Amino acid sequence: TGLYDKAIQLYIQAKDYSAAMSLLEEKSAINLTDEMADQLAPDKADKSVDPRQRKDLLIRLAYICQAQQKYTLAYKKFQQAGDISQGFKALLKSGDVELIFKTAKVSRKPELMIDAANYFKTLQWVQAEDVVMKIIELYQKAKAFELLAVFYISCAELEMDQYQAYDKAVDALLEAEKELTKCLPT
């Protein structure tokens, strides 16, 4: 793979990004590093690369990153290409809970917040109060009151079935009711 790495570096120096990516796609044994990915992404200021071509190269690079299971790097490249939705999907695959939460929280897109909350529900949220709080916060911020109510109902069922904590179950059901009233027309 040393020769392939050298070939990729030569393609980068020649600004033949497409050939470098073709080699990466062909030879899956080549380990794409963060540094290599940054070099393969043409700079916005580089006037020799058409903006549309730059975007296409970044998206292609992001898919190469995903194929190598470098999901955080894929997220960054999708972001640079302006494909926020695909970038967030890659980020979800990374499993980086804090980065997923931070990204969803600062985004102004309710669908990303909902996707993140739904992802957190696949984790061991039962034992992790911080994950429960993240789910609640994201659903609230996305104004996904019905989904939050369903989550509270799940919490109530869990409290009853596993812990026989009926007082906590009632509290969760009251929270669910409160969220559902936000869905009613005024």
Side-chain angles (χ1 to χ4, degrees), residues 17-18 21-22 24-25 32 37 40-42 49-68 70-71 73-88 90:
Y17 304 114
S18 186
M21 288 190 213
S22 291
L24 279 165
E25 289 165 338
L32 180 65
L40 280 167
V49 180
D50 176 64
R52 180 71 203 152
Q53 182 186 13
R54 179 182 182 275
K55 181 179 179 172
D56 292 344
L57 287 169
L58 284 166
I59 289 173
R60 187 174 172 192
L61 181 56
Y63 282 115
I64 292 169
C65 294
Q66 278 190 313
Q68 292 195 9
K70 298 187 180 211
Y71 299 114
L73 190 55
Y75 157 73
K76 290 175 186 173
K77 297 307 163 191
F78 277 124
Q79 290 287 94
Q80 288 175 347
D83 193 338
I84 294 163
S85 179
Q86 274 301 115
F88 198 71

Side-chain angles (χ1 to χ4, degrees), residues 75-143:
Y75 157 73
K76 290 175 186 173
K77 297 307 163 191
F78 277 124
Q79 290 287 94
Q80 288 175 347
D83 193 338
I84 294 163
S85 179
Q86 274 301 115
F88 198 71
K89 287 177 185 172
L91 186 58
L92 289 174
K93 290 179 183 177
S94 77
D96 186 336
V97 171
E98 289 308 316
L99 185 58
I100 292 167
F101 178 68
K102 181 179 149 199
T103 303
K105 190 175 167 185
V106 299
S107 83
R108 294 205 165 98
K109 296 180 179 277
E111 62 272 11
L112 296 186
M113 294 175 213
I114 291 168
D115 286 348
N118 290 342
Y119 168 75
F120 291 141
K121 284 172 43 180
T122 67
L123 304 177
Q124 296 295 322
W125 60 269
V126 175
Q127 292 90 8
E129 176 123 0
D130 63 320
V131 174
V132 170
M133 298 313 292
K134 284 176 171 64
I135 294 168
I136 293 168
E137 185 176 343
L138 289 169
Y139 279 147
Q140 284 176 336
K141 191 165 182 170
K143 296 185 178 9

Side-chain angles (χ1 to χ4, degrees), residues 8 27 70 77 90 98 130 148 156 161 179:
I8 288 174
K27 307 293 180 188
K70 298 187 180 211
K77 297 307 163 191
E98 289 308 316
D130 63 320
L148 182 53
D161 295 344
E179 295 304 322

Side-chain angles (χ1 to χ4, degrees), residues 2-19:
L3 290 175
Y4 293 126
D5 290 346
K6 197 134 192 100
I8 288 174
Q9 289 303 321
L10 290 172
Y11 282 133
I12 291 169
Q13 286 174 351
K15 294 189 178 194
D16 192 348
Y17 304 114
S18 186

